[in-house]
Amino acid sequence: MSAPNSGTPPTESTTALAALSTEQLIGSGQEGGLLDQVRAWVQRVRGGDMGALPAVAGFIVLSILFTILSPYFFTERNFANLLTQAATLVMLGMALVFVLLLGEIDLSAGVTAGLTMVIFVVLIAVVNLNWILALAIAFLTGIAIGTFIGFFVAKVGIPSFVVTLGLFLGFQGLELIIIGAGGLYRVETPEILAIQNSTLPTWGGWVMVAVMLAISATMSFIDRARRTRAEVPNRTIALVWAKLIAIAVLGGGVVLILNQNRGTGFKAIEGVPIVVPITLAILWIGTFVLDRTKFGRYIYAVGGNAEAARRSGVKVAMIRWCAFIVCSSLAVVSGLFSISKVGSVDAAAGREIVLSGVAAAVVGGVSLFGGRGRLIHAAIGALVIAVITNGLGLLNLPAGVNYAVTGGVLILAATIDAVSRKRAGGSILRT
Amino acid sequence: MDMPIIELKGVVKSFGPVDVLKGVNFTAYPGKITALVGDNGAGKSTLIKGLAGVQPYDGGQVLFDGSPVTLHSPRDAGDLGIEVVYQDLALCDNLDIVQNMFLGREELSAGTFDEGRMEREAAETLRQLSVRTVKSVRQKVSSLSGGQRQTVAIARSVLKKAKVVILDEPTAALGVAQTAQVLALVKRLAEQGVSVILISHNLVDVFEVADYISVLYLGQMVASVKASETNNEDVIGYITGAKTYEGTPA
């Protein structure tokens, strides 16, 4: 047994905290050393609160499997490829988290991405609009779509499944009308193509890791300072160091691999693809909003028990509405990632990806029943699906196998979700 | 006698052709526990939903601290310091105790949550109510027992500095030991000067804690008596309509 508060820095008055926690009959779950915290975490996992654990395990197992099966899998080139392939799905999965947390769904997110990109590219190619202006119009269209869905779901009261299924069909039609059957537009904007095809300078990757470490450390210490000021116990500081070390090792490892020359010709290709820092920034901002602001907390509350939230004064309809707007707006970003990778837009843009987006979130540990999940879960889930697609592709297996395996993984993940929810007791007392 | 904090005069409410409340008078005093009893369909829930602002009354007068008020939304009730602890508890399973207690009134510092301060206040409130059954204030509500949930829901109203707390069947789903704990909690709530309105079917509970008993029968207040001046048999008589209360409303 480690002594309580072991490892807290001398700056915090350890004795006062110890006195407080003995007097305090109710704990806060923050007491104890590293070992106690690890033990508490194991207990939570056993209780059904697994988070992204199955997905992380799946990612590691699949990576090892494909490394054994294919000599091309674990190479610098494929690693960079994997990240850029996954980026679209990561972004779409993160977009969907906002509505999945409410227990809603947006089946139109993929075609929202597709339609806004069709509008974007056509505005540039046909109307000769400035690309920034076209991009602004694409985003405004995304926001308008979210507003439209939110209105019908939150105000009129139609199930989101039906509204967005309608839009899923309607937008495909709209894409066809704008582009014409079999039509295709090339993406000519260098700034957009750069997202997936250009890289940071090699030093830029290190700066990125440094910024991540700085932000994480600052946030942790601000949190600790606030808790100390409120005279409630802090978690052992070892956890902060562990987190920072994990970021440094993981981030550093990724940057190290990506900074190797992966070009096949004379021109060196090295550095972190630009899409990576963009995705990380959106992941960080989104997580900040979900964890630390009223909007985020109320999304979880509405997803957990909408009636309880309403009685607590939460404007439930407004929260729902805003969540759909956030989802559609982030879907536009995923569309940008997609056209940057593919280099063109056709009339079927975004038709296939939406279910993969939902799958990514669910595989990562976001609950379809609402109220449980984080953005990082969707990102990890998307990486799992991307690894499957990428690995099976390297093995030259037919596309059908890819669909079948991805579908199987989705059902497995949904099963884990349902079973862990039962274990957590959520289904017993839910009204 | 103290001035009542809540006074309803001739309150009416109907759903379509059905008159649920037919001119109900009701009073509740600060620091006292008033039990509201009546058979199913007597109008208890409708009466408290009106007080909570969830379903506004169609007519009649509501006096709060002697002055007339309107209760059109839960926010109106909340602003006055009227809090309802519902039978289904209205807690979010996926949030922890602190997050539930502060839901809708989170404390911010520089635009983001001040979790430390909220945790401290939540723990203090629970301690003040001598709650010992909860292990950690950062437990998810899904891991709590029925009695613990009731405790959190009641503590939530205390945290909101409620002047009137309405408890809807707080012991309905609880075992013997948990019922005793919750009733003790209800008494402590009243000792702190809060006016408690207790809705219950269990007359044993009612006689254990209530200062006043008000009986609804088919949308009318048929009796309002001091608990010390009546007995189980009479109250059952009022509830079933077998007996008529003769005295003046207490």
Side-chain angles (χ1 to χ4, degrees):
Chain A
M1 257 322 220
S2 57
N5 293 311
S6 66
T8 40
T11 45
E12 292 164 7
S13 67
T14 0
T15 46
L17 283 179
L20 192 78
S21 54
T22 48
E23 174 218 326
Q24 210 170 21
L25 297 156
I26 309 147
S28 63
Q30 317 270 325
E31 300 89 348
L34 191 57
L35 221 63
D36 296 298
Q37 290 292 335
V38 171
R39 217 173 280 136
W41 176 75
V42 170
Q43 208 153 24
R44 277 202 300 278
V45 170
R46 280 205 182 141
D49 191 5
M50 280 185 279
L53 204 59
V56 172
F59 181 77
I60 294 169
V61 169
L62 286 168
S63 299
I64 294 171
L65 191 70
F66 286 128
T67 307
I68 296 168
L69 291 175
S70 166
Y72 305 108
F73 183 77
F74 202 77
T75 57
E76 295 94 8
R77 188 136 164 258
N78 191 47
F79 189 67
N81 205 12
L82 179 66
L83 288 184
T84 51
Q85 279 174 355
T88 304
L89 197 56
V90 168
M91 190 51 65
L92 194 68
M94 295 204 303
L96 286 163
V97 168
F98 284 87
V99 293
L100 290 175
L101 280 178
L102 295 171
E104 307 279 354
I105 200 162
D106 184 356
L107 293 175
S108 66
V111 285
T112 296
L115 178 67
T116 51
M117 287 309 107
V118 165
I119 292 173
F120 174 68
V121 174
V122 166
L123 280 178
I124 295 172
V126 179
V127 191
N128 269 324
L129 211 62
N130 172 289
W131 75 272
I132 295 178
L133 211 58
L135 189 63
I137 291 173
F139 269 105
L140 285 177
T141 310
I143 291 169
I145 292 169
T147 311
F148 182 85
I149 302 171
F151 173 77
F152 279 99
V153 173
K155 290 285 171 185
V156 183
I158 306 175
S160 54
F161 178 83
V162 177
V163 177
T164 58
L165 184 63
L167 290 183
F168 174 67
L169 298 172
F171 287 168
Q172 285 179 42
L174 217 52
E175 284 181 35
L176 261 176
I177 291 168
I178 296 175
I179 288 195
L184 185 137
Y185 285 89
R186 281 172 57 84
V187 179
E188 312 272 7
T189 318
E191 288 85 352
I192 297 299
L193 289 169
I195 297 173
Q196 292 269 43
N197 299 298
S198 298
T199 58
L200 298 177
T202 47
W203 54 265
W206 297 116
V207 171
M208 183 184 85
V209 175
V211 168
M212 281 162 64
L213 281 172
I215 290 175
S216 179
T218 312
M219 304 264 293
S220 293
F221 283 105
I222 288 177
D223 284 348
R224 295 179 73 84
R226 277 185 182 175
R227 292 187 65 92
T228 307
R229 198 171 39 198
E231 295 174 22
V232 291
N234 263 309
R235 284 205 167 88
T236 166
I237 194 138
L239 280 179
V240 178
W241 299 130
K243 188 174 158 197
L244 293 180
I245 290 169
I247 293 175
V249 170
L250 260 175
V254 168
V255 170
L256 200 63
I257 296 172
L258 291 174
N259 276 354
Q260 309 295 317
N261 180 10
R262 54 181 177 270
T264 44
F266 293 111
K267 195 172 170 287
I269 302 174
E270 55 187 16
V272 178
I274 288 173
V275 70
V276 173
I278 296 177
T279 307
L280 286 176
I282 293 175
L283 170 66
W284 184 81
I285 294 169
T287 304
F288 185 93
V289 168
L290 283 177
D291 283 357
R292 293 164 185 268
T293 69
K294 290 195 171 189
F295 174 61
R297 176 68 46 85
Y298 295 167
I299 285 184
Y300 281 99
V302 171
N305 186 342
E307 182 57 23
R310 192 180 69 82
R311 289 180 195 167
S312 301
V314 173
K315 290 183 176 126
V316 174
M318 198 45 112
I319 297 290
R320 283 216 172 97
W321 202 334
C322 290
F324 277 102
I325 294 174
V326 172
C327 176
S328 296
S329 309
L330 289 181
V332 178
V333 180
S334 95
L336 282 174
F337 288 1
S338 169
I339 63 166
S340 174
K341 177 82 183 168
V342 178
S344 63
V345 180
D346 61 21
R351 189 188 293 176
E352 297 209 333
I353 197 173
V354 69
L355 290 177
S356 306
V358 177
V362 175
V363 166
V366 178
S367 175
L368 277 174
F369 303 101
R372 245 184 25 198
R374 303 169 62 75
L375 287 180
I376 185 82
H377 293 172
I380 294 170
L383 282 175
V384 171
I385 291 177
V387 164
I388 295 173
T389 311
N390 176 289
L392 292 178
L394 289 176
L395 295 176
N396 282 322
L397 288 172
V401 176
N402 182 13
Y403 283 123
V405 172
T406 309
V409 169
L410 172 62
I411 291 174
L412 183 70
T415 308
I416 293 174
D417 175 29
V419 170
S420 66
R421 185 163 162 273
K422 259 189 203 147
R423 264 217 215 165
S427 57
I428 303 165
L429 284 148
R430 193 167 289 253
T431 47
Chain B
M1 165 115 0
D2 283 343
M3 194 162 99
I5 186 151
I6 292 267
E7 195 169 2
L8 302 183
K9 286 181 178 170
V11 161
V12 289
K13 175 79 187 174
S14 50
F15 296 105
V18 185
D19 296 325
V20 182
L21 299 178
K22 306 166 185 166
V24 171
N25 298 329
F26 176 77
T27 48
Y29 300 93
K32 301 286 183 208
I33 301 171
T34 308
L36 182 61
V37 296
D39 214 343
N40 290 336
K44 303 187 299 287
S45 301
T46 311
L47 191 70
I48 60 156
K49 276 183 184 158
L51 269 178
V54 178
Q55 269 173 12
Y57 301 126
D58 294 339
Q61 212 181 9
V62 182
L63 300 178
F64 187 88
D65 244 346
S67 42
V69 291
T70 49
L71 297 167
H72 284 307
S73 74
R75 200 155 282 248
D76 290 344
D79 288 346
L80 289 172
I82 302 173
E83 292 295 332
V84 187
V85 178
Y86 290 95
Q87 193 175 0
D88 54 9
L89 290 182
L91 297 172
C92 294
D93 275 355
N94 58 333
L95 302 182
D96 65 31
I97 294 177
V98 179
Q99 291 169 342
N100 265 291
M101 283 175 72
F102 277 92
L103 187 60
R105 53 183 301 276
E106 288 84 359
E107 288 189 6
L108 302 177
S109 162
T112 60
F113 291 152
D114 192 337
E115 295 285 356
R117 209 164 77 205
M118 289 194 272
E119 190 174 311
R120 169 149 196 96
E121 283 176 36
E124 262 170 12
T125 305
L126 288 169
R127 196 162 52 225
Q128 183 191 333
L129 293 167
S130 308
V131 175
R132 286 191 180 79
T133 52
V134 180
K135 210 167 73 193
S136 156
V137 285
R138 287 295 179 187
Q139 257 175 295
K140 290 255 163 73
V141 163
S142 59
S143 70
L144 299 181
S145 71
Q148 289 171 327
R149 283 160 180 261
Q150 197 73 53
T151 305
V152 171
I154 293 172
R156 198 175 124 82
S157 62
V158 175
L159 188 77
K160 289 186 175 177
K161 308 261 184 294
K163 291 182 185 142
V164 178
V165 174
I166 302 170
L167 299 168
D168 186 7
E169 297 272 8
T171 59
L174 303 184
V176 178
Q178 291 189 339
T179 298
Q181 274 166 16
V182 169
L183 290 181
L185 186 62
V186 171
K187 279 187 195 158
R188 276 195 294 277
L189 202 58
E191 278 161 18
Q192 295 187 358
V194 175
S195 171
V196 181
I197 299 172
L198 175 72
I199 293 163
S200 183
H201 273 117
N202 187 333
L203 290 183
V204 179
D205 289 358
V206 166
F207 275 99
E208 192 181 329
V209 295
D211 299 296
Y212 297 93
I213 299 175
S214 293
V215 187
L216 268 175
Y217 178 70
L218 297 180
Q220 277 166 331
M221 194 62 83
V222 291
S224 295
V225 287
K226 275 194 168 168
S228 55
E229 291 168 7
T230 184
N231 57 52
N232 206 339
E233 202 181 317
D234 283 350
V235 173
I236 291 176
Y238 304 143
I239 291 173
T240 56
K243 208 162 189 161
T244 319
Y245 177 62
E246 307 288 346
T248 50

